[in-house]
Amino acid sequence: MAERIAIVGSGPSAYGTLLGLLELKKQGRDLDITIYASGSADQESQIQATYKDRLDASEINSLLKQQQGEGGLLPARHFNKVPVESHQGYEGLKTDIKLSDSFGGIGNYWSSSVFPNQQIHDPVVAKLGDLSVYYDLVSGHIPVSGRKGDPLCRFFSDETINQPAIHIDPGLENLLGDQGSVVMGINRFALETEDGGDSCIACGDCMYGCQRDAIFRAGRAIWQLACEGICEIIYEKVLHFSADRTLRTEKETASFDKVYVAGGALGTMELVHNSLGAPTHALELYDTMLWYFPAFSLGLRKMGRVQDGIAFAELAGGLYDEQTPDYNHLLISRFPHAIMDKMLGRSGFSLFVSNVINRFSVIAAVYGSHDEYLTYRLEDRGAGLCAISREKSVETLAHHKFKAFQSYLSSKGWLSHQKLVMENATSSHYAGNVGLAYGVESLPETGQLMDGVYICDSAAWDGPSQSQQHSFTLMANGVRLAVASLTT
Ligand SMILES: Cc1cc2nc3c(=O)[nH]c(=O)nc-3n(C[C@H](O)[C@H](O)[C@H](O)COP(=O)(O)OP(=O)(O)OC[C@H]3O[C@@H](n4cnc5c(N)ncnc54)[C@H](O)[C@@H]3O)c2cc1C
Ligand code: SF4
């Protein structure tokens, strides 16, 4: 008789878990897989129906109009007209923790940087175990674009690259390099770049959500596997699980042999809390810090038009101190024209202004290392699990780190100043401490919270995530946990 398996969630963690189960199915294991996902049944077919090559100015202006009330400089990214939301903290505490109850989760809004984390020390990944073989397995199912043999190889093996690198402007080429503690290469994206099919057409409208759906989305991949009969999707939120692996939704109750919870860090913590009650130690959600600053070129650079390229983080790199060992992920982007659109509306003039700005400036970003993060303490004070406090582990980007990145940039003819550094409210790379809070020390390694119930996302990491390796690591770890739980 088939083993009855449930996965809760539909983002990258759930997809990785499903891939692990798919591997076992291919080896002959009889598994009956049900995915429980918040969101609506017709979301994916609606996306297929609205699939577009390029947005025209009037469509962009109407999107901007819809978003008039939404704060921030950049337009909120819409995919299928569902914006990502911010979790509201207790008594109005501003959290900026991004949430999405749509099918596919915040994985519908990600920038899709994918790096296998093997060559740098990351305390969280060290707890999970060797993921090399699982990164390779995931890259057999998702596109990974990048340039083999570029400077990034110092930190990240390039074996997972399976698509050509994005085209970058000649003006950005001079920023590539490997000097001292800094390397900079072409960003690796989970993006179809091979000509034809659903590939990226470099239209530069990524900040509106890729209407062409060229960026890999776990939701779409799960939906496709469901269409092939690999799993069944039930579009309902799971409200509770019990020790005998019974799941309850608003409409039904069902029992399973194994339950894999992958509801995203906060979603999973909420479900565990609703199911097991308050833990012995406080629940904490971690968010890696993120800082931005502009850099200016001494001479005008030969940049092409922004609408002829991808609109975020064309370059990625790392700042690594082998002594500490302390790794910070770095990004360099051109100025997205979505910013000018928000101020001026999409017009020939707004595109002209952003293209001029791109002749002499770029935006640099530094992600926090494993000890540069925000901690939200979570409690239920009567209205469900909620953030009650927010604390930073460091006040600002350390001067020596800024200096190291600044001298790298200045050696290439780009200037900046620490006074221009701005802190971003969230990096959207979340993790939680379910194991520590509920006294299950082995949770990061085994994922097993109780008999037959596994936590397959970063809620189980018991420490802050380290920037852009996050989602690739979530997927690889999901495969690892699914395979290990059914074969050992
Ligand atoms: C703007 C932005 C840019 C980003 N860029 C990058 C990047 O370049 N690289 C990178 O690695 N990461 C990036 N991230 C982070 C990345 O999106 C997340 O790390 C990733 O989506 C987390 O995956 P997840 O599956 O754990 O959770 P989610 O993507 O949040 O998915 C969880 C899903 O489970 C559902 N769910 C929760 N509880 C339940 C329940 N009880 N029952 C049923 N369903 C439930 C949720 O509704 C959601 O659909 C970015 C995020 C944002 C917002
Ligand atoms: S440039 Fe961005 S929006 Fe345009 S097709 Fe490529 S990923 Fe999609």
Side-chain angles (χ1 to χ4, degrees), residues 11-13 38 100-102 105-107 111-113 238 263-264 428 468 470-471:
S13 304
S38 37
S100 170
D101 258 344
S102 59
I106 59 168
S111 319
S112 80
S113 283
V238 175
S428 309
Q468 298 292 34
H470 193 90
S471 303

Side-chain angles (χ1 to χ4, degrees), residues 52-55 112 166 191-193 198-215 306-312:
K52 284 184 69 74
D53 264 6
R54 211 166 203 149
L55 290 169
S112 80
I166 56 158
L191 177 73
E192 298 276 352
T193 49
D198 323 343
S199 68
C200 170
I201 52 161
C203 68
D205 281 329
C206 325
M207 292 292 174
Y208 294 98
C210 179
Q211 304 287 317
R212 193 174 158 79
D213 213 10
I215 302 173
V306 194
Q307 64 267 38
D308 292 333
I310 194 163
F312 37 59

Side-chain angles (χ1 to χ4, degrees), residues 157-234:
S157 130
D158 60 14
E159 308 226 319
T160 53
I161 294 176
N162 55 31
Q163 299 268 324
I166 56 158
H167 292 292
I168 60 162
D169 260 293
L172 288 176
E173 282 279 351
N174 93 309
L175 280 163
L176 305 178
D178 185 342
Q179 277 175 29
S181 57
V182 176
V183 304
M184 190 57 65
I186 298 184
N187 205 349
R188 297 188 190 170
F189 292 109
L191 177 73
E192 298 276 352
T193 49
E194 206 96 61
D195 282 347
D198 323 343
S199 68
C200 170
I201 52 161
C203 68
D205 281 329
C206 325
M207 292 292 174
Y208 294 98
C210 179
Q211 304 287 317
R212 193 174 158 79
D213 213 10
I215 302 173
F216 170 80
R217 290 186 306 109
R220 179 181 53 186
I222 292 173
W223 181 74
Q224 275 163 349
L225 288 174
C227 295
E228 288 164 28
I230 303 292
C231 56
E232 184 199 358
I233 303 172
I234 295 186

Side-chain angles (χ1 to χ4, degrees), residues 12-26:
S13 304
Y15 180 62
T17 308
L18 182 58
L19 287 184
L21 299 175
L22 181 62
E23 270 314 286
L24 297 173
K25 257 172 132 31
K26 281 186 194 157

